[in-house]
Structure formats: structure tokens, C-alpha cells
Amino acid sequence: EDLDLSPSEVWKGLEYFAEAGATHELGLLAAGLGLERFVDIRMDEAEAKAGLTGGTPRTIEGPLYVAGAPKSEGFARMDDGTEADKGEVLFMQGTVYDADGKPLPGAQVEAWHANLMGNYSFFDKSQSHFNLRRTIITDANGRYQFRSIMPMGYGCPPQGTTQRLLDLLGRHGRRPAHIHFFVTAAGHRKLTTQINIDGDEYLWDDFAFASREGLVPAVNRITDAAEIDKKGLQKPFASIDFDFRLNGESAAAPTTEVERQRASA
């Protein structure tokens, strides 16, 4: 009533949502309109009221997680090698800690990211099964490490429902290069987060509002011949150190397990 919507406007709106649903873009739309980030802001506030502070910042899950990625302990290679010669080899490593700063052996680190074309396996049928998707169980010292390729950012489908709406709002639909994570451990709150790749032109202009202080680790370029040889490589590589800090589970704060439909390969 406030907007004095006409019948045609109502039905065109419904047709838009029907198309967005049929093309599986409602998750992208939720990110682009800031709804997913807004839910995170509310969760941050609820945790602060419950006295839960100091953990790694959360940020959006996005719509491209796939359950069931292969598991390994301590280390995993995420890429299938098809883009190794075209992209920059990346090693990322760190420790999962509890709220008291103690390492968490047996924690689960699920990681997933896009390839050099900005596409994700499962949704991009040209990629191998679970390419750039792995589950790493931390070792006895709470450590994880993986080898992959430096991801690229991506944009919304140019003719899709999300980008058409963004065009009307005068906004772009680009994301900076990033790597997604779920981090879980018994007795601790699930962390949903991602790190952004420093230096990306969209680092602080993410259409999905997911960039946060504390989630932009330094990218170290390793050119030392001995270090390159130690990794079994013939060219320089990138290295990122990043630790995760989990808060203990608390009945005073809402659950961090989000019930939503997710793909499963």
C-alpha cells in the first residue's frame, strides 16, 4: 500500500523471483542485497551479548558449498593439477586454536574456492569431481596445510537475475578472490568464514559485503631456490599463514549450525 503497487508490478515481481529460483540464483541475490551479511551482523551481536569474543571473524557462506569433500589429516592438495602451469601455486597453513589459545587436534577445516576462471567444481561441469574442495583434519598440534592454486574472483552471470537487479541499482556484481572455510571442533561453535586475497581490486568493494578486517592475511611470495625445491616445485609460489580461533559452545548464544539446502556430490 505504501508503494501503491499495481497488479502488473506485483506479478512481474513474482515472475522475477520465480526465475531467480528456477536458475538457482536466490542464494546469490541474498548475498548481493546484503541479507546474508546482515544475518552475520545479528549473530555477532548475539555472541557479544553472550560474552563470546575474540574468535576469528565470521563472514558469509555463499551459495557454492558442496558437502562430502575428500578428507585427509594435516595436509591436502586441493587442485587436480589441470591449471598448475597457468596459475600461481599456493600453500596455506596455520593452527586451529580454542578460545584460550590452545591448539585443537582433530578439528575439521573444510575449504573450497574458485578456479582460474572464477568457477566452482560441481556447478562447473568441466571441472573434476571435488576440484578445489577438501576437508582437512588438524594434526596432533592443531595444524592444517593445503596446496592449491591462487583463486580468482568471479562475477554474477551477466544476464542472470541478480546482475539485472544490480544493474538497475547501479552496482557491479564482482567478488574479490577468496577462499571459503567451515571450521568445526567438538564442544566449539562452528565457524563459517573466508579469507580474501590481498591486492585484489575488489578487496574492499565486494558486491556480497563479505570483506572484513582480520580476514585479509598477507600473501608471501617465495622465491628462495631452497624453499622452492623443498616443496618439489620448479617456480616461485605464494604462501599464506592463517590461524583460526574458535569459541566454545554456549547455550546463551544462537546455534551456528545453519539449516539450509546445500549441494551434495
Side-chain angles (χ1 to χ4, degrees), residues 77-88 115-117 119 121 124 126-132 147-149 235:
R77 178 165 178 175
M78 292 181 60
D79 69 301
D80 62 7
T82 56
E83 295 181 308
D85 293 336
K86 304 172 187 174
E88 183 178 23
N115 69 359
L116 297 181
M117 300 297 290
N119 296 325
S121 61
D124 172 16
S126 70
Q127 296 185 49
S128 63
H129 228 39
F130 289 116
N131 185 39
L132 307 174
R147 172 183 168 174
S148 193
I149 55 170
K235 63 178 182 178

Side-chain angles (χ1 to χ4, degrees), residues 6 18 36 38 56 124 143 159 161 191-192 199 234 242 260:
S6 70
E36 195 171 8
F38 181 66
T56 297
D124 172 16
R143 297 280 297 172
Q159 307 305 318
T161 51
L191 172 65
T192 299
Q234 285 75 48
F242 192 80
R260 56 183 283 187

Side-chain angles (χ1 to χ4, degrees), residues 48 70 157 200 243:
D200 191 289
D243 298 331

Side-chain angles (χ1 to χ4, degrees), residues 25-167:
E25 282 203 29
L26 285 175
L28 202 59
L29 186 66
L33 294 181
L35 178 59
E36 195 171 8
R37 175 72 185 102
F38 181 66
V39 171
D40 280 351
I41 291 170
R42 286 176 50 82
M43 182 64 79
D44 287 346
E45 292 175 344
E47 288 185 341
K49 288 179 181 177
L52 299 173
T53 59
T56 297
R58 65 167 43 84
T59 194
I60 70 171
E61 174 185 335
L64 299 169
Y65 171 77
V66 177
K71 287 186 179 182
S72 60
E73 184 171 341
F75 172 83
R77 178 165 178 175
M78 292 181 60
D79 69 301
D80 62 7
T82 56
E83 295 181 308
D85 293 336
K86 304 172 187 174
E88 183 178 23
V89 174
L90 168 66
F91 282 87
M92 181 169 171
Q93 55 279 316
T95 302
V96 179
Y97 293 101
D98 66 13
D100 296 322
K102 297 177 182 177
L104 284 169
Q108 181 169 280
V109 179
E110 296 181 75
W112 68 100
H113 68 78
N115 69 359
L116 297 181
M117 300 297 290
N119 296 325
Y120 286 76
S121 61
F122 181 84
F123 303 95
D124 172 16
K125 302 303 182 184
S126 70
Q127 296 185 49
S128 63
H129 228 39
F130 289 116
N131 185 39
L132 307 174
R133 300 178 185 274
R134 287 295 184 274
T135 299
I136 306 164
I137 308 301
T138 58
D139 65 18
N141 299 310
R143 297 280 297 172
Y144 78 92
Q145 184 184 51
F146 62 79
R147 172 183 168 174
S148 193
I149 55 170
M150 189 68 78
M152 295 293 289
Y154 68 85
C156 297
Q159 307 305 318
T161 51
T162 304
Q163 188 58 59
R164 296 201 323 258
L165 177 57
L166 293 174
D167 288 343

